């Protein structure tokens, strides 16, 4: 123990280089290796694992989920098809199947700088110009990007992929890029939903995708100070698994936690479902190293707070790959919770649900997660219920619905649902649960049980798979988010939905768009709101353009109602037009001044944010 403690203290004083020198040591907890050919186990033209998907069985006219990775594995959803017909107006006779593959000859020919390649070879860093590896790292997961993949029409992709294995590798690659005027686009989990990973179409220089997932080790864990120093390429799920071996966790669970990387969380100012008790990524961050064209930026100590002028960490947080490559991060960690409990409520309407959430925040109650879904999402959730596995299960559902509708008098077209997750020691968790139950009753809610809460929480991880299914039926759907003060939550939700419906009518859409919303994170002064929108694109000459016009109108309405340009998805390319309005012209100028200093040759020319 004494030797371990001394090693950790040494790391605090000298930075992580002392640990890098011991890279072969068993002290480093390395996550499972992410295959370099990720397309062999992940979809190249959709979300998630290749072996997991929603499928429509035409013969049996039923939708089911295949794959054994999720609780919904191999379940059938007898009501889902009917819901899709009602929500989007789909028909069985229309299928928009994706290309089976994009052939090598259909991909852009790579731009090659032979002198740069020679330097990379001398560094002994693994690299490839394999067309499919380049394609996989040419995009994130916006609806537009996935649609282009399905149609096989990407105009610009990276020319080379490199895999550094350490902070020092990144330093040398960035030096070589500056020497030869090469573009670098950092790539972690590839889950961006802001267009941040797309290559600028007009970029003539060689573009290198720097895949950081070989940098996936926990370099040290400080059990005394509850911190861990971690390489930035580690994926979220792997990070939690490895920290659990020490008895700790970060508690950071974005919807993309299975596939997104630690460096990506920092680069986008990410937020997770359990931020109420663990905080957002900026609250967890103790120290960070970033390699820029001018050198390494980092603080000289790992302390809880420092007064040393403007915080350089806040230049790095949210920088979206425009300043440099995030290589190592020190995070606050927490002991694994002793107890985890789920719960759920049904409220008579959205207004009552928001009032309940506001009171939870006002009283300082801290469930790990509390999320409110509007009526459309409740109906969607009901449609995603698997067929009853027993008569008893079906009977219980009927009894609960009878009580809510007939006894309590709730209107089926107005009811909303709320899910809860509580974490901590048993005594505190029980006390919090009792307070929340009492508060829910005070606001006229009906407790809907632990199973519904758990199901609603875990459903988050499979919702993204639905888009691939409905694409096949010509439906174009996406989510977007914002943050807003408490007194504007209701107006913003109503106004944005009304604006979308008006714009859809003006565009002559044959079927009304599906628009729903949920409140996903709460703060003392406001909340995060998620919108889900989908349109039936059948018969439209350019459905992507129509969808983007509707979403742009929604974003204009969000800002007009006092909401933010983004709560945690970031700016990327698709929200650049609102950046100046959001931070002021002077603020935008400050960002550009930093960019010009740290990256004078514009090596990190991904086109995001202020670029």
């Amino acid at each position: 123990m004494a030797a371990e403690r001394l090693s950790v203290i040494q790391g605090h004083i000298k930075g992580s280089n002392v640990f890098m020198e011991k890279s072969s040591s068993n002290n480093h907890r390395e996550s499972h290796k992410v295959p370099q050919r990720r397309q062999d186990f992940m979809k190249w033209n959709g979300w998630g694992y290749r072996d997991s998907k929603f499928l429509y069985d035409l013969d049996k006219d039923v939708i089911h989920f295949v794959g054994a990775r999720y609780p919904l594995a191999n379940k059938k959803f007898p009501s889902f098809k009917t819901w899709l017909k009602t929500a989007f107006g789909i028909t069985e006779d229309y299928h928009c199947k994706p290309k089976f593959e994009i052939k090598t000859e259909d991909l852009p020919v790579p731009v090659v700088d032979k002198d740069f390649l020679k330097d990379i070879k001398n560094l002994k860093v693994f690299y490839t110009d394999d067309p499919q590896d380049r394609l996989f790292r040419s995009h994130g997961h916006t609806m537009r990007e996935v649609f282009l993949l399905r149609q096989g029409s990407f105009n610009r992709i990276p020319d080379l992929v490199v895999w550094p294995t350490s902070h020092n590798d990144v330093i040398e690659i960035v030096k070589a890029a500056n020497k030869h005027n090469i573009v670098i686009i950092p790539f972690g989990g590839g889950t961006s939903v802001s267009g941040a990973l797309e290559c600028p179409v007009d970029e003539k220089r060689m573009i290198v995708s720097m895949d950081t997932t070989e940098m996936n080790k926990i370099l040290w864990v400080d059990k005394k100070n509850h911190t861990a120093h971690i390489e930035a390429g580690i994926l979220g799920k792997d990070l939690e698994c490895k920290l659990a071996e020490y008895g700790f966790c970060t508690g950071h669970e974005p919807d993309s936690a299975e596939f997104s990387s630690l460096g990506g969380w920092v680069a986008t100012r990410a937020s997770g479902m359990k931020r109420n008790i663990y905080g957002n990524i900026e609250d967890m961050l103790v120290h960070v190293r970033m390699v820029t064209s001018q050198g390494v930026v980092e603080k000289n100590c790992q302390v809880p707070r420092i007064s040393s002028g403007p915080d350089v960490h806040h230049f790095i947080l949210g920088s979206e790959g425009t300043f440099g490559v995030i290589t190592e991060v020190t995070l606050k960690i927490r002991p694994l919770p002793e107890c985890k409990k789920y719960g759920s409520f049904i409220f008579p309407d959205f207004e009552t649900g928001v009032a309940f959430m506001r009171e939870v925040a006002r009283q300082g109650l801290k469930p790990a997660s509390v999320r409110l879904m509007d009526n459309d999402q409740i109906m969607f959730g009901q449609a995603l219920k698997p067929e009853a596995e027993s008569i008893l299960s079906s009977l219980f559902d009927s009894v609960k619905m009878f009580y809510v509708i007939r006894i309590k008098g709730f209107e089926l077209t107005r009811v909303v649902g709320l899910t809860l997750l509580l974490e901590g020691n048993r005594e505190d968790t029980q006390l919090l649960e009792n307070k929340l139950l009492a508060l829910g009753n005070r606001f006229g809610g009906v407790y809907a049980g632990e199973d519904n809460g758990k199901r609603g929480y875990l459903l988050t991880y499979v919702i993204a798979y639905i888009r691939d299914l409905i694409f096949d039926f010509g439906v174009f759907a996406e989510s977007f988010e914002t943050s807003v003060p408490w007194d504007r939550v209701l107006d913003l939700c109503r106004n944005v939905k009304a604006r979308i419906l008006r714009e859809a009518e003006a565009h002559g859409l044959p079927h009304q768009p599906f628009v729903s919303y949920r409140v996903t994170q709460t703060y003392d002064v406001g909340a995060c709101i998620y919108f889900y929108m989908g349109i039936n694109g059948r018969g439209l000459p350019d459905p992507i353009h129509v969808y983007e016009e509707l979403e742009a109108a929604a974003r204009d309405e969000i800002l007009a109602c006092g909401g933010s340009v983004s709560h945690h998805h970031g700016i990327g390319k698709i929200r650049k037009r609102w950046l100046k309005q959001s931070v002021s012209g002077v603020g935008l100028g400050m960002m550009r001044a930093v960019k010009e200093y740290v990256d004078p040759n514009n090596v990190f020319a991904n086109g995001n944010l202020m670029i």
Side-chain angles (χ1 to χ4, degrees):
M1 282 295 294
E4 178 186 351
R5 183 67 193 149
L6 184 60
S7 179
V8 170
I9 291 172
Q10 216 175 352
H12 280 296
I13 295 171
K14 296 185 178 180
S16 65
N17 286 336
V18 61
F19 300 100
M20 297 305 299
E21 291 165 7
K22 302 190 298 184
S23 58
S24 61
S25 166
N26 291 329
N27 291 337
H28 290 164
R29 298 290 179 97
E30 188 166 351
S31 71
H32 90 274
K33 184 176 175 63
V34 177
Q36 292 179 342
R37 286 186 58 83
R38 286 196 231 180
Q39 60 271 25
D40 290 343
F41 81 103
M42 294 181 67
K43 295 189 189 76
W44 66 271
N45 63 352
W47 178 261
Y49 298 107
R50 290 175 69 102
D51 59 8
S52 301
K53 64 187 74 175
F54 284 94
L55 286 178
Y56 172 52
D57 187 328
L58 185 61
D59 295 331
K60 297 180 179 178
D61 193 31
V62 69
I63 293 170
H64 58 107
F65 190 84
V66 300
R69 299 176 185 271
Y70 300 97
L72 294 182
N74 302 312
K75 297 281 198 308
K76 295 179 181 178
F77 308 94
S79 303
F80 193 25
K81 177 73 179 303
T82 301
W83 181 85
L84 288 174
K85 286 182 177 181
T86 303
F88 299 108
I90 67 167
T91 57
E92 293 92 339
D93 63 336
Y94 181 76
H95 286 273
C96 181
K97 291 294 184 182
K99 285 192 173 185
F100 180 72
E101 64 176 344
I102 299 181
K103 296 179 180 178
T104 297
E105 55 266 29
D106 295 330
L107 293 171
V109 176
V111 177
V112 179
D113 186 301
K114 293 182 180 179
D115 292 330
F116 174 77
L117 279 179
K118 182 178 179 181
D119 283 356
I120 292 298
K121 288 178 183 177
N122 291 337
L123 291 175
K124 295 181 171 55
V125 173
F126 190 82
Y127 66 92
T128 183
D129 61 358
D130 177 273
Q132 297 304 319
D133 287 328
R134 293 163 50 218
L135 175 66
F136 191 90
R137 291 158 183 83
S138 65
H139 62 88
H141 282 274
T142 64
M143 180 196 61
R144 178 180 176 276
E145 290 168 307
V146 175
F147 179 75
L148 289 176
L149 281 171
R150 291 168 63 94
Q151 300 303 307
S153 54
F154 262 71
N155 295 320
R156 188 72 165 94
I157 67 174
D159 304 301
L160 193 76
V161 183
V162 298
W163 283 270
T165 60
S166 70
H167 171 79
N168 289 335
D169 281 351
V170 175
I171 290 175
E172 296 305 318
I173 294 169
V174 171
K175 284 180 181 177
N178 274 278
K179 177 182 174 183
H180 300 290
N181 196 25
I182 304 298
V183 173
I184 292 176
I185 298 181
F187 188 94
T191 58
S192 165
V193 287
S194 65
L197 295 172
E198 281 193 85
C199 298
V201 176
D202 57 354
E203 180 57 69
K204 305 302 182 185
R205 295 175 292 174
M206 183 179 187
I207 299 177
V208 174
S209 175
M210 184 182 288
D211 188 318
T212 61
T213 53
E214 292 286 318
M215 299 164 53
N216 58 15
K217 294 181 286 296
I218 295 178
L219 299 175
W220 49 258
V221 170
D222 186 340
K223 296 180 181 179
K224 295 284 186 181
N225 291 311
H226 285 192
T227 55
H229 193 65
I230 309 147
E231 291 183 316
I234 193 169
L235 301 188
K237 185 177 180 181
D238 298 334
L239 173 58
E240 295 302 328
C241 287
K242 287 301 172 185
L243 281 177
E245 295 177 14
Y246 294 95
F248 288 93
C249 67
T250 69
H252 188 65
E253 283 190 14
D255 295 359
S256 61
E258 294 173 281
F259 309 113
S260 55
S261 69
L262 172 57
W265 298 346
V266 176
T268 56
R269 293 184 68 92
S271 180
M273 293 184 282
K274 300 192 294 187
R275 71 142 302 275
N276 277 355
I277 57 177
Y278 298 102
N280 294 317
I281 193 65
E282 66 269 21
D283 304 310
M284 303 176 188
L285 188 73
V286 176
H287 188 262
V288 59
R289 305 182 94 187
M290 183 171 74
V291 178
T292 77
S293 294
Q294 295 280 40
V296 178
V297 57
E298 63 179 324
K299 295 180 182 178
N300 75 327
C301 55
Q302 303 194 21
V303 294
R305 190 174 188 274
I306 181 172
S307 179
S308 57
D311 192 340
V312 295
H313 284 177
H314 288 281
F315 291 126
I316 299 171
L317 283 155
S319 56
E320 299 187 7
T322 58
F323 294 160
V325 183
I326 296 162
T327 59
E328 296 173 8
V329 180
T330 305
L331 292 180
K332 300 175 189 175
I333 55 176
R334 303 279 191 93
L336 288 168
E338 175 188 343
C339 178
K340 180 180 290 192
K341 297 190 76 171
Y342 296 92
S344 61
F345 277 99
I346 296 174
F347 289 103
D349 50 51
F350 193 71
E351 292 80 3
T352 305
V354 170
F356 170 82
M357 294 188 81
R358 176 69 187 98
E359 187 62 17
V360 168
R362 192 190 69 79
Q363 291 190 21
L365 304 179
K366 295 291 184 183
S369 172
V370 53
R371 297 190 292 175
L372 176 69
M373 291 142 284
D374 75 350
N375 183 262
D376 287 312
Q377 290 196 21
I378 288 294
M379 296 302 107
F380 166 63
Q382 289 297 309
L384 264 183
K385 275 196 169 182
E387 59 186 356
E389 295 175 354
S390 70
I391 296 176
L392 195 60
S393 173
S394 181
L395 178 63
F396 280 155
D397 283 344
S398 299
V399 169
K400 282 185 285 188
M401 189 58 68
F402 177 83
Y403 177 75
V404 168
I405 303 301
R406 299 296 296 273
I407 304 300
K408 292 290 288 184
F410 290 5
E411 294 180 35
L412 188 60
T413 56
R414 287 176 57 82
V415 295
V416 298
L418 181 139
T419 61
L420 292 162
L421 170 61
L422 284 59
E423 289 187 359
N425 64 55
R426 295 188 185 281
E427 182 180 351
D428 290 345
T429 300
Q430 187 60 59
L431 182 62
L432 177 58
E433 182 180 40
N434 292 341
K435 289 181 178 179
L436 291 168
L437 287 171
L439 190 62
N441 289 333
R442 190 181 118 197
F443 278 82
V446 174
Y447 187 67
E450 186 171 353
D451 287 346
N452 281 322
K454 184 175 183 179
R455 183 175 163 275
Y457 188 85
L458 297 180
L459 196 60
T460 300
Y461 294 110
V462 298
I463 283 179
Y465 286 93
I466 294 173
R467 186 172 66 179
D468 297 334
L469 169 72
I470 61 179
F471 252 140
D472 291 347
F473 291 102
V475 173
F476 296 77
E478 186 77 284
S479 66
F480 51 94
E481 37 64 78
T482 185
S483 51
V484 65
W486 278 115
D487 64 348
R488 301 182 187 182
V489 168
L490 295 175
D491 286 342
L492 186 144
C493 290
R494 283 192 292 257
N495 291 351
V496 170
K497 184 169 185 175
R499 177 73 178 272
I500 291 170
L501 296 181
R502 288 198 307 271
E503 294 289 334
E505 186 176 356
H507 279 82
L509 263 65
H511 192 277
Q512 182 172 285
F514 173 78
V515 185
S516 71
Y517 40 81
R518 63 167 65 185
V519 182
T520 59
Q521 283 115 318
T522 61
Y523 298 83
D524 292 343
V525 298
C528 170
I529 301 171
Y530 248 97
F531 287 90
Y532 294 84
M533 181 173 73
I535 66 170
N536 188 330
R538 185 174 183 178
L540 298 177
D542 190 350
I544 289 291
H545 175 72
V546 173
Y547 183 95
E548 290 178 341
E549 287 282 301
L550 296 186
E551 186 175 331
R555 185 64 59 186
D556 284 337
E557 191 67 33
I558 285 170
L559 294 178
C561 291
S564 66
V565 66
S566 176
H567 173 261
H568 61 270
H569 283 171
I571 299 297
K573 299 175 183 64
I574 66 174
R575 284 177 278 275
K576 283 177 67 171
R577 74 178 86 170
W578 295 284
L579 185 57
K580 182 177 180 180
Q581 180 181 351
S582 298
V583 302
S584 78
V586 173
L588 187 61
M590 291 170 70
M591 292 184 190
R592 286 174 173 158
V594 174
K595 168 69 176 175
E596 288 170 9
Y597 174 74
V598 300
D599 190 24
N601 300 320
N602 197 21
V603 163
F604 297 97
N606 56 18
N608 298 335
L609 288 171
M610 78 303 287
I611 302 177

